[in-house]
Amino acid sequence: MADKILKKDKAAEALKELSKFRLFAPAKSDDVVLFRQIEDPAEACLDYANSTVPPKKVVFPQTETLFRFKLGNPELREKNVEEEGTTVIFGLRPCDARAMSIVDNLFSWDYEDPYYLKRRELTTLVGMACVTPPSVNCFCASVGGEPFGTENLDLLLVDMGEEYLVKVLTDKGGKLAETIGSFMENAPEGAAAKAEELAGAAREALSRSIDTSGIEAKLPALWDSPLWKEVSAACLGCGICTYLCPTCHCFDIQDEVEDAEGRRCRMWDSCMFREYTLHASGHNPRPTRKERTRNRISHKYSYFPGKFGVIACVGCGRCVNLCPVNIDILEILGKVVEA
Amino acid sequence: MVDQAKLREVAREVISREDVRLLIGYRPGTYGFRARPAFVESAEQVEELVFTPACVSNLASYLVLEEKPPLPRGAEPDNRKVAVMVKGCDSRALVQQMVEKAYERDHLVVLGIPCSGVVDMARVEARFPGVLSAGSIIREGDDFVLSFDGKTEKVPAAELLADKCKRCRYPTPLVSDIMLDDEVERFAEDDFSDIAELEGKSVEEKWAYWAEKFSRCIRCYSCRNVCPMCYCEDCILDRLKPVWMRRSVDISENTAFHISRAYHLAGRCIQCGECARVCPVDIPLMELNRKFYKDVEELYDYEPGLSTEATPLLSTFSVEDREDFIL
Amino acid sequence: MKNPYIPYLVEILDAWYEAPGDRCIKTFKVTFADPAVWDVWSHRPGQCAMVGIPGVGESMFCVSSSPTEQGYLRFSIMKTGRNTSALHELEAGDRFYVRGPYGNTFPLDEWKGKNIVTIGGGIGQAPLRPVIQYIRDNRDDYGELTVIYGARTSADHCFKQEFEEMNACGDVCCHLSIDVEEEGWPHFVGFVPQLLLEAEPKPDNAIAVTCGPPIMIKFVLQNLEKLGFQPEQVYTTLENRMKCGIGKCGRCNAGPLYVCKDGPVFSYAQLKQVPEAFA
Amino acid sequence: MAENTRETFEPNIVAFLCNWCSYAGADLAGTSRIHYPSNVKVVRVMCTGRVNPLFVMNALQQGADGVLVSGCHPGDCHYMQGNYYARRRFTLMRRFLEYLGVEPARVRMSWVSASEGSKWKEVVEEVVEGVKAVGPMDQFKRRQLNW
């Protein structure tokens, strides 16, 4: 399908139309932007930098039921993800969309994870290109992304000032575009070229970068390096860097019972927590934050690429922006390169 | 403001002492205006130390955060002292930790920094976005002077000051071995006006307010981990037997988490504001802590973190304690 | 495709205690409630399964029976936490849930024609039991079988009867030990690594498999090296906390390895490349 | 549980009673055939000092509409001081829960001695009336959200 134009004053109507699906869009709560299920287009905030919590939570909810049961009854009732129906994530950043394609590797290797994959199948991703980098700590271009990246997106919106240029990237995107076709018009000649120009400028505007070549091989060799103690000294051991990472995917499984009914559910977990690896015997293979930090970096930049051929980091900068003590993954990687 | 050269000189002397193994201070961050904790183990490292209004962290947390895995057989633990730089508010955490017997006074060398207020980094970054190269913030009278990318900007202090500083009762450290500057007179009072409005609302309005805040919580536990008073080795949040708080993230468990966190700080919170600062989804955690703080002061005339001779609030009582609600 | 998170219901055919104490060990002999599951279930020695009770939780245990034992699965479980305590409450006729089998297996086909030495300590014998059983059921395919096993006391010995049988039958060379002297104990007294030196198995055309507490494994590996075993000849199993069992949740990672998928069986040669494996 | 309307609402009250005074007081009410509302579910503890304030939170999560903590009168604690500590803890907890939006009527405390069977009746009546007036607890009860 040819490129379209969605005038900004029509955006609300388009969102209204899309809200017949399960529609997630960035919305403001106080000063925090989070992806929320939107019923009223007025809640959406499309003029935003980036969401604090990545939209991974739509396809990989922080807590989700795997199956339900009644005590004393052997029947296990599987959660039916299909029931959630068609889902649209509107206005996500290209890095966050790319992150989902990275996580897809994990959830589909060997055993297929039915919950995640079904949700991915049901979800259409409508991206919002980064005309200006959302933060000084964006470094998507260093890890295979682009401010105008289209990877894994079904539609890409480019903010051209008065209007959005809508690029249709997949059939799924095409179908979605049709449902809001009446609010859009054909893109005038030159719009694509203007978008190209903006893309180039956005790429130029990225202020941080890292040369990742060689890091994958180098990390295992730095196992005993003193650098890990140095970079983890300030670490508080909280879950910010992992929970807010669009590619982090570790989870815990717990059973919950309320009266005679129960469920087995899974919830995000973080390798930065002490309990994460703690054995029942009291032994902990990663006894301090030093080992946990080493694991976090190594997993993203060495183990994951070793297994799936892609770095498990999209350069969104959240872990740098939001770390309470300014632990900076680019600084750590810089030290790895230098070491 | 603290003379940076003097600060380094003192730090050099302290870390050179044989009975000191570690000095915890501040150094410039990796970008923009940020500053971050510094862990100095040798005299060579002192050159990077700074103290500026960007030094927001409460370093007292690190005294109780250290993880001590079992030592290899035959190895002796390093029991030498730890030196730590503290602002007025941070020093109260040390006092309260000692009240609770987290460690002995002579475990520490305290470098006190009389402080006229630190910035709210979120406000600074919102006002001057996109600053990557190292910027500096200094205090000049009633203004903060920010220098970055070759520019200098003067901003009235009140516009960038952290909220906790606007009501700081104890700008000068209450405990110190070496004071790095002249005492700062109390420049603000705390009348709890920030929570008065909410206190005056109906229970329905209150719950609507908190339900929205708690529903955002992602349970990263940064508020717990950053807190200098949250240092139980075995936290009930991590307990699986019994399960106090389920790990599932929903309004019920999130509320339970916030009640537990705040209650465990009743009569212990020393108002450093770190929890609210680090929360990635901006839950106003200090509004919870301050409710307790206010009630404790009002009911029991008690302020935590003022004297190492004090008894923890809930380990004591008075026969005369109010009981007007008891049937 | 079947949802891998949904477990199969099993019924306990028989259950008995192997060892007493706070951390007692109980063996469960189970079969699938739905016999049709046997058509899709096939495990090999070394493989694991998630065992649990809805409402309590799940934990990973090795299947301690050999596939050559038809019609049932066995699990030997030490009481350490919430889930294992709940499992220990169960008796013959009760039911719980199992999903799997997970992970890789001991390369028993590659080992054909070789002498096999198993070195186990405490509950660590559970993953070795299917190896021993498998070899005994395919006795002509393998050379000598040497079983070295120790536990703290004679009461702590798992699978006592089977050791007695093995001692009697003569096709297995059996070495047993306890840590501290006991009256009437006819075998070795001391730790398993010492017993290994005592037994002195020959490295020629041999494979050594060891399983037990980390500290024991550490010294067994050293002593096997002393005896001339090459890292390629030595196998062990790793254990980490696990939640999903299917290579998703990330919890069992030891360096780049997913213990639940790439393991639990590893050769010492492999593990030498992964420092975290011995952390 | 059947749907409750405000009119027919029968609150679920969890009462933590100390072994020495309030439990005995409630027992006395029973043996004296004093009728009192059956809404309270009693949990006997050795002393109100043993009642962790988080029990209140947990009870409200699990479906209680109100919580009552009851112990010996000040000065009469079997362990000398347990009720004094409890008094501080619940004073703070009650105010805090009110601040979060939990009606104070849901968190009550009383002193009932072993001889006060009739006071026990009055306390229960007052607590039940109070909770009835504010209706079912639905702020942060564990609900089967998205189960």
Side-chain angles (χ1 to χ4, degrees):
Chain A
M1 201 189 281
D3 291 353
K4 297 279 177 189
I5 285 287
L6 175 65
K7 288 252 166 61
K8 280 190 176 174
D9 55 14
K10 295 268 189 197
E13 286 171 75
L15 276 175
K16 183 79 208 159
E17 184 62 30
L18 290 178
S19 67
K20 71 181 181 194
F21 305 119
R22 207 163 144 257
L23 172 67
F24 287 83
K28 261 193 163 179
S29 312
D30 297 336
D31 287 334
V32 181
V33 177
L34 300 168
F35 274 85
R36 270 211 315 250
Q37 196 171 344
I38 298 289
E39 265 137 39
D40 175 5
E43 294 170 59
C45 164
L46 298 180
D47 179 24
Y48 78 120
N50 204 355
S51 65
T52 302
V53 181
K56 75 170 176 185
K57 68 174 185 182
V58 178
V59 286
F60 176 43
Q62 184 159 13
T63 307
E64 74 172 308
T65 303
L66 301 176
F67 58 81
R68 283 171 286 172
F69 50 85
K70 285 199 168 92
L71 294 184
N73 180 341
E75 189 200 353
L76 307 175
R77 284 169 296 149
E78 192 181 331
K79 161 99 181 187
N80 183 356
V81 176
E82 192 90 51
E83 279 171 4
E84 289 174 3
T86 307
T87 301
V88 177
I89 307 181
F90 193 92
L92 79 167
R93 294 297 177 194
C95 56
D96 289 338
R98 199 174 154 255
M100 288 184 202
S101 73
I102 291 171
V103 177
D104 289 350
N105 288 305
L106 185 276
F107 281 114
S108 54
W109 82 292
D110 200 53
Y111 288 93
E112 293 185 342
D113 187 287
Y115 307 93
Y116 176 88
L117 295 176
K118 175 50 80 182
R119 236 182 240 111
R120 283 283 284 125
E121 191 188 308
L122 290 169
T123 305
T124 307
L125 301 179
V126 182
M128 179 70 78
C130 300
V131 175
T132 47
S135 101
V136 282
N137 292 314
C138 286
F139 59 101
C140 57
S142 301
V143 283
E146 285 285 345
F148 277 50
T150 54
E151 189 180 338
N152 204 32
L153 283 169
D154 299 302
L155 290 173
L156 177 71
L157 270 56
V158 180
D159 187 337
M160 313 274 279
E162 298 300 307
E163 66 225 353
Y164 297 108
L165 175 70
V166 181
K167 290 183 177 224
V168 180
L169 304 164
T170 62
D171 292 346
K172 215 171 172 183
K175 274 196 195 122
L176 195 78
E178 272 167 31
T179 65
I180 53 169
S182 57
F183 308 109
M184 301 197 289
E185 39 201 274
N186 286 330
E189 224 171 294
K194 190 183 167 201
E196 275 306 305
E197 223 171 88
L198 290 172
R203 201 176 199 289
E204 283 298 302
L206 287 174
S207 43
R208 299 197 73 174
S209 65
I210 183 82
D211 177 7
T212 57
S213 56
I215 289 184
E216 180 188 339
K218 210 157 175 192
L219 277 166
L222 291 173
W223 183 259
D224 288 321
S225 164
L227 95 90
W228 298 116
K229 185 184 166 204
E230 190 189 324
V231 300
S232 66
C235 179
L236 300 166
C238 75
I240 287 183
C241 51
T242 47
Y243 280 6
L244 301 185
C245 174
T247 68
C248 272
H249 50 259
C250 287
F251 60 85
D252 187 9
I253 297 179
Q254 295 284 340
D255 287 11
E256 298 183 344
V257 178
E258 208 53 53
D259 299 325
E261 283 208 52
R263 64 165 174 170
R264 180 160 291 162
C265 51
R266 68 172 169 198
M267 56 283 289
W268 295 355
D269 203 349
S270 168
C271 62
M272 299 308 289
F273 292 155
R274 182 180 72 103
E275 296 70 27
Y276 182 75
T277 47
L278 184 67
H279 290 191
S281 66
H283 173 70
N284 198 336
R286 294 187 202 128
T288 71
R289 288 178 279 275
K290 179 185 93 178
E291 289 83 10
R292 286 168 225 146
T293 305
R294 178 176 63 196
N295 180 69
R296 179 169 77 90
I297 306 296
S298 300
H299 190 254
K300 293 198 168 306
Y301 279 85
S302 177
Y303 307 155
F304 198 94
K307 205 167 191 77
F308 300 116
V310 56
I311 291 172
C313 170
V314 291
C316 69
R318 285 184 179 92
C319 61
V320 187
N321 289 327
L322 292 153
C323 176
V325 292
N326 190 206
I327 291 175
D328 186 328
I329 194 168
L330 288 172
E331 188 196 43
I332 298 175
L333 294 172
K335 284 178 195 280
V336 168
V337 171
E338 276 168 33
Chain B
M1 203 168 125
V2 177
D3 178 351
Q4 310 291 315
K6 182 184 170 193
L7 177 147
R8 288 174 198 149
E9 190 189 302
V10 171
R12 185 188 310 279
E13 270 168 38
V14 170
I15 197 61
S16 303
R17 281 166 54 175
E18 255 175 34
D19 60 342
V20 175
R21 72 175 161 99
L22 172 68
L23 182 146
I24 310 173
Y26 301 94
R27 59 179 172 143
T30 61
Y31 67 94
F33 298 103
R34 302 250 176 155
R36 55 178 162 165
F39 295 81
V40 173
E41 289 181 333
S42 70
E44 294 83 68
Q45 293 168 275
V46 302
E47 286 314 315
E48 59 179 3
L49 290 178
V50 293
F51 183 81
T52 69
C55 297
V56 289
S57 292
N58 182 348
L59 303 178
S61 304
Y62 290 105
L63 297 173
V64 286
L65 202 64
E66 202 173 351
E67 289 170 298
K68 296 191 176 108
L71 289 168
R73 198 174 292 181
E76 288 289 319
D78 187 347
N79 287 328
R80 288 177 298 160
K81 292 175 200 281
V82 175
V84 60
M85 281 166 51
V86 290
K87 308 183 283 285
C89 50
D90 307 342
S91 77
R92 295 181 60 197
L94 301 185
V95 172
Q96 190 61 22
Q97 286 167 355
M98 285 187 272
V99 163
E100 296 171 6
K101 311 227 180 312
Y103 46 77
E104 297 291 327
R105 174 68 180 87
D106 66 1
H107 171 72
L108 297 183
V109 179
V110 182
L111 310 184
I113 303 172
C115 163
S116 48
V118 294
V119 295
D120 179 331
M121 197 52 77
R123 280 184 197 142
V124 172
E125 288 176 355
R127 181 106 173 215
F128 304 103
V131 179
L132 178 67
S133 56
S136 81
I137 308 178
I138 54 168
R139 181 73 181 259
E140 273 182 13
D142 288 335
D143 299 315
F144 282 122
V145 178
L146 295 92
S147 313
F148 57 97
D149 297 339
K151 287 175 276 190
T152 301
E153 297 266 358
K154 209 175 231 190
V155 181
E159 290 175 30
L160 297 179
L161 211 52
D163 287 337
K164 63 167 178 177
C165 303
K166 293 178 185 164
R167 48 179 185 249
C168 175
R169 287 173 177 170
Y170 306 96
T172 300
L174 299 175
V175 54
S176 79
D177 293 300
I178 303 162
M179 205 63 98
L180 292 169
D181 203 353
D182 299 334
E183 265 189 43
V184 173
E185 290 287 319
R186 183 181 289 193
F187 53 82
E189 272 310 328
D190 188 357
D191 56 4
F192 297 96
S193 50
D194 55 322
I195 58 169
E197 191 194 340
L198 184 58
E199 280 184 315
K201 289 188 170 165
S202 71
V203 282
E204 289 79 14
E205 288 169 317
K206 285 171 180 163
W207 175 246
Y209 178 81
W210 287 113
E212 193 277 317
K213 310 285 181 209
F214 293 160
S215 68
R216 281 187 231 161
C217 180
I218 55 166
R219 305 266 288 278
C220 65
Y221 296 156
S222 59
C223 49
R224 171 192 66 175
N225 289 23
V226 79
C227 177
M229 301 320 302
C230 268
Y231 57 90
C232 292
E233 239 169 68
D234 184 14
C235 174
I236 65 158
L237 304 179
D238 304 322
R239 280 264 183 97
L240 293 176
K241 219 175 150 183
V243 179
W244 275 98
M245 245 71 61
R246 290 177 178 169
R247 289 202 78 178
S248 49
V249 176
D250 57 45
I251 189 66
S252 178
E253 306 307 322
N254 287 3
T255 304
F257 160 55
H258 285 286
I259 293 174
S260 313
R261 193 200 62 83
Y263 194 93
H264 281 152
L265 292 169
R268 302 175 63 235
C269 170
I270 47 80
Q271 305 281 294
C272 69
E274 283 288 84
C275 49
R277 174 180 76 84
V278 303
C279 180
V281 291
D282 280 7
I283 299 171
L285 294 155
M286 277 306 278
E287 291 179 15
L288 300 173
N289 299 338
R290 283 174 58 68
K291 172 63 180 165
F292 276 121
Y293 197 89
K294 179 180 177 222
D295 284 353
V296 164
E297 192 170 35
E298 205 173 281
L299 292 165
Y300 308 115
D301 194 23
Y302 184 98
E303 259 196 291
L306 298 187
S307 158
T308 51
E309 304 303 312
T311 315
L313 175 85
L314 294 176
S315 317
T316 183
F317 62 87
S318 156
V319 173
E320 274 80 46
D321 282 346
R322 274 171 62 180
E323 55 168 50
D324 38 16
F325 77 101
I326 297 177
L327 297 169
Chain C
M1 193 173 152
K2 188 190 175 298
N3 182 335
Y5 293 97
I6 307 286
Y8 301 117
L9 184 65
V10 298
E11 190 169 313
I12 304 175
L13 298 169
D14 198 3
W16 63 89
Y17 282 95
E18 299 283 353
D22 284 348
R23 294 195 156 193
C24 49
I25 298 165
K26 195 169 185 178
T27 295
F28 300 92
K29 196 169 154 182
V30 302
T31 189
F32 294 107
D34 175 5
V37 179
W38 284 112
D39 301 336
V40 291
W41 178 282
S42 72
H43 77 277
R44 304 272 299 158
Q47 282 196 298
C48 294
M50 276 305 227
V51 175
I53 304 172
V56 183
E58 285 187 304
S59 333
M60 188 69 106
F61 298 100
C62 65
V63 182
S64 63
S65 55
S66 156
T68 52
E69 299 171 78
Q70 302 273 314
Y72 62 88
L73 298 174
R74 275 176 58 153
F75 297 97
S76 291
I77 293 170
M78 185 192 270
K79 187 171 170 177
T80 47
R82 195 170 45 156
N83 189 38
T84 51
S85 301
L87 286 166
H88 270 231
E89 301 287 311
L90 303 180
E91 296 297 342
D94 291 339
R95 294 161 157 203
F96 58 84
Y97 290 80
V98 169
R99 60 186 174 93
Y102 294 134
N104 67 353
T105 78
F106 289 107
L108 279 155
D109 291 339
E110 283 173 32
W111 295 351
K112 277 187 183 162
K114 295 190 189 234
N115 300 324
I116 311 291
V117 186
T118 72
I119 306 137
I123 186 68
Q125 191 67 12
L128 299 178
R129 190 191 168 274
V131 176
I132 296 166
Q133 197 60 44
Y134 186 88
I135 292 172
R136 293 185 70 198
D137 290 337
N138 297 278
R139 200 64 197 87
D140 298 340
D141 291 347
Y142 297 89
E144 279 174 38
L145 174 60
T146 309
V147 174
I148 298 171
Y149 178 62
R152 240 172 290 176
T153 67
S154 60
D156 290 324
H157 272 236
C158 292
F159 318 129
K160 295 179 196 68
Q161 250 187 333
E162 291 176 18
F163 282 115
E164 274 168 33
E165 265 172 50
M166 280 192 262
N167 264 332
C169 77
D171 68 342
V172 182
C173 179
C174 210
H175 301 266
L176 301 177
S177 76
I178 51 174
D179 291 358
V180 201
E181 189 77 57
E182 263 176 53
E183 213 179 330
W185 176 254
H187 308 286
F188 186 80
V189 177
F191 297 118
V192 172
Q194 292 165 272
L195 177 62
L196 169 64
L197 291 180
E198 197 78 10
E200 218 184 335
K202 298 276 168 295
D204 318 307
N205 192 36
I207 291 290
V209 196
T210 180
C211 235
I215 188 78
M216 182 202 101
I217 293 195
K218 187 178 157 193
F219 288 105
V220 164
L221 292 174
Q222 284 177 11
N223 289 353
L224 282 170
E225 261 179 328
K226 274 186 211 160
L227 291 170
F229 280 81
Q230 296 301 309
E232 295 75 25
Q233 290 174 278
V234 179
Y235 285 79
T236 186
T237 64
L238 283 190
E239 242 182 39
N240 262 344
R241 275 191 88 172
M242 290 184 193
K243 282 292 176 180
C244 71
I246 54 176
K248 310 288 174 228
C249 78
R251 208 173 265 259
C252 67
N253 287 182
L257 302 173
Y258 278 85
V259 173
C260 68
K261 279 300 310 167
D262 305 325
V265 176
F266 296 98
S267 75
Y268 185 33
Q270 249 179 312
L271 292 185
K272 278 194 145 175
Q273 312 297 318
V274 183
E276 198 165 47
F278 296 106
Chain D
M1 233 184 298
E3 274 301 304
N4 282 311
T5 62
R6 286 243 161 171
E7 293 70 40
T8 62
F9 170 54
E10 283 300 335
N12 191 6
I13 313 278
V14 175
F16 295 97
L17 306 189
C18 90
N19 178 58
W20 305 98
C21 292
S22 294
Y23 190 85
D27 203 24
L28 178 65
T31 50
S32 317
R33 309 263 171 142
I34 299 172
H35 286 272
Y36 62 86
S38 59
N39 306 65
V40 287
K41 318 270 188 296
V42 173
V43 180
R44 174 158 62 157
V45 292
M46 291 311 284
C47 176
T48 48
R50 191 262 172 270
V51 186
N52 187 328
L54 300 189
F55 287 2
V56 177
M57 165 197 97
N58 200 258
L60 294 175
Q61 259 190 303
Q62 291 197 51
D65 299 299
V67 180
L68 169 66
V69 179
S70 186
C72 310
H73 285 273
D76 293 347
C77 176
H78 187 79
Y79 307 99
M80 315 306 287
Q81 316 176 320
N83 52 359
Y84 287 120
Y85 292 115
R87 184 169 63 183
R88 276 201 168 185
R89 292 175 197 157
F90 289 98
T91 305
L92 290 172
M93 188 58 160
R94 190 165 188 263
R95 284 180 169 225
F96 183 66
L97 287 176
E98 200 270 329
Y99 179 71
L100 293 186
V102 177
E103 298 83 353
R106 299 192 194 282
V107 186
R108 305 301 292 264
M109 197 167 180
S110 64
W111 306 138
V112 175
S113 79
S115 61
E116 294 178 320
S118 52
K119 178 170 179 188
W120 172 248
K121 166 193 158 82
E122 285 160 25
V123 165
V124 172
E125 280 173 353
E126 169 149 6
V127 172
V128 170
E129 277 318 302
V131 178
K132 272 188 177 171
V134 295
M137 161 83 195
D138 56 6
Q139 285 91 326
F140 58 92
K141 192 178 279 192
R142 277 180 183 151
R143 283 168 293 205
Q144 301 186 358
L145 283 170
N146 304 319
W147 271 34

